[in-house]
Amino acid sequence: MYIDTTSQRSMERSLCTYLNITSSELYQYIDYASEKATPDKWGFNSEIFNVELMSIISDLQPEIPIDEIQLHHLTRRLNTDGENNDGCNLKFLLATETPLRTFLREHGVEFAEHKGHLLIIHYGSVVSLEDTNQIDVCYLRGRLGYNAGREDYCFNGFAMRDLLMKNSYARELYDGPEFLVVLSRFLRNKKIQKDFFENSTYFCLNYLLPINSIVFDGHEEMDYAHKCQFLISQVCHRLLIYQNSHPEYMYDHDNPILRLDDDAIVPASFQYGKEIITLDMLC
């Protein structure tokens, strides 16, 4: 099973099903853990909150394992992509024949593999990324595999959908993929970003993946059991915030980031939803 993070209600229902309890009991447990985590009524100790929740869940002994997880991927895609809903890593998009590679070639930009990383070729000349004091060079080196052992090609997304349109990153990506925005600026070729924006559509693609295939960003050491515990604690914390705040004043600043291995490609068969994101949806 999986925890449906589409909305507050879907998270409630999923946790109640997983733990075989009522909604009232769920919030009693969350409130209990919250009280333990705020002994002086001022500071909230998330570690105590998580420990108390895990103790309660251990006592309840859920029978159905959490074996899948939702990944919500924000992406502005070229309209020439058509109905392609694969989740591709950056190296694949730049180094194989894809609509993005074709688009960039039409704007004088190509990429070539060299000694384990990708070179930028702008109108036939290799672009140097040696001067790390230059703005954007460090970012581009990281995304193009210059840092051996710390490559950053990976396909990623967020664990929770409920408040995703209130995530600052969602608003930033409206203008285009971060990599493309930076590349356009670095090459002093504003037409790249402008044309991409005008010929693309912004989506939230929803995938359902085996939980063992993902990594929680910043928690790479987690095994299966800890991934499940971390996800549950994050969802419970989100439900606690719903209890104590009006949704109008809530923001998505603590949404766990999920990523896959750098060379992974998610087949479209794992995709279950796709929605167009418009500017008026973003806060």
Side-chain angles (χ1 to χ4, degrees):
M1 74 164 291
Y2 64 94
I3 305 299
D4 186 347
T5 64
T6 307
S7 67
Q8 177 186 3
R9 298 305 173 207
S10 69
M11 289 188 280
E12 290 174 3
R13 287 194 298 268
S14 294
L15 284 175
C16 288
T17 298
Y18 173 62
L19 299 172
N20 193 26
I21 57 176
T22 65
S23 177
S24 176
E25 290 172 324
L26 172 64
Y27 280 104
Q28 286 177 19
Y29 294 140
I30 291 174
D31 288 342
Y32 174 82
S34 175
E35 289 174 6
K36 289 288 188 178
T38 51
D40 56 7
K41 306 302 179 184
W42 290 98
F44 180 85
N45 189 315
S46 58
E47 185 174 342
I48 294 176
F49 181 75
N50 296 341
V51 168
E52 292 296 334
L53 279 176
M54 291 310 110
S55 176
I56 291 168
I57 291 170
S58 177
D59 290 342
L60 292 171
Q61 297 183 338
E63 296 181 358
I64 307 173
I66 295 173
D67 54 2
E68 295 178 302
I69 189 168
Q70 290 177 326
L71 182 150
H72 307 285
H73 177 66
L74 300 172
T75 178
R76 180 172 279 281
R77 296 199 170 185
L78 288 162
N79 297 328
T80 52
D81 254 358
E83 292 302 311
N84 177 21
N85 295 320
D86 290 344
C88 300
N89 62 73
L90 183 61
K91 185 176 183 179
F92 179 87
L93 291 171
L94 298 177
T96 61
E97 290 304 320
T98 63
L100 178 60
R101 183 180 173 94
T102 300
F103 169 84
L104 288 169
R105 185 184 294 126
E106 291 170 351
H107 288 74
V109 183
E110 294 193 72
F111 294 86
E113 292 194 58
H114 175 73
K115 295 183 178 180
H117 61 266
L118 296 179
L119 296 174
I120 303 174
I121 303 172
H122 192 212
Y123 289 110
S125 298
V126 174
V127 178
S128 173
L129 293 178
E130 294 305 313
D131 185 1
T132 55
N133 290 317
Q134 259 187 291
I135 188 169
D136 298 326
V137 166
C138 289
Y139 171 84
L140 290 171
R141 287 176 64 88
R143 295 308 315 273
L144 296 175
Y146 279 71
N147 305 324
R150 294 184 289 114
E151 294 85 354
D152 185 18
Y153 296 123
C154 70
F155 179 80
N156 57 29
F158 292 91
M160 293 188 275
R161 170 62 185 87
D162 61 316
L163 295 175
L164 191 53
M165 295 305 105
K166 292 190 172 189
N167 192 296
S168 60
Y169 190 59
R171 178 60 187 85
E172 291 171 16
L173 290 183
Y174 179 81
D175 297 323
E178 184 181 13
F179 174 79
L180 209 67
V181 171
V182 173
L183 180 69
S184 181
R185 182 173 63 220
F186 178 70
L187 296 177
R188 296 183 175 87
N189 189 343
K190 294 181 179 179
K191 190 170 172 56
I192 295 175
Q193 181 186 352
K194 178 178 180 293
D195 287 354
F196 189 92
F197 180 85
E198 292 176 351
N199 293 281
S200 62
T201 304
Y202 193 18
F203 295 104
C204 178
L205 299 182
N206 314 109
Y207 296 87
L208 189 61
L209 302 172
I211 196 166
N212 274 333
S213 70
I214 64 91
V215 172
F216 283 99
D217 196 44
H219 301 277
E220 290 76 9
E221 76 290 349
M222 285 185 178
D223 59 15
Y224 165 74
H226 286 97
K227 288 178 187 178
C228 294
Q229 292 173 6
F230 183 72
L231 176 64
I232 292 169
S233 67
Q234 293 298 300
V235 171
C236 287
H237 187 257
R238 180 63 62 90
L239 292 178
L240 177 65
I241 294 174
Y242 272 111
Q243 271 195 307
N244 298 328
S245 307
H246 192 284
E248 182 180 350
Y249 303 109
M250 293 175 62
Y251 292 92
D252 193 49
H253 57 79
D254 58 351
N255 198 336
I257 297 172
L258 310 177
R259 59 181 177 81
L260 283 83
D261 291 339
D262 277 307
D263 60 352
I265 294 176
V266 180
S269 57
F270 286 95
Q271 188 237 353
Y272 70 89
K274 180 178 184 178
E275 56 187 312
I276 294 176
I277 302 174
T278 59
L279 188 58
D280 60 359
M281 292 169 63
L282 300 166
C283 300

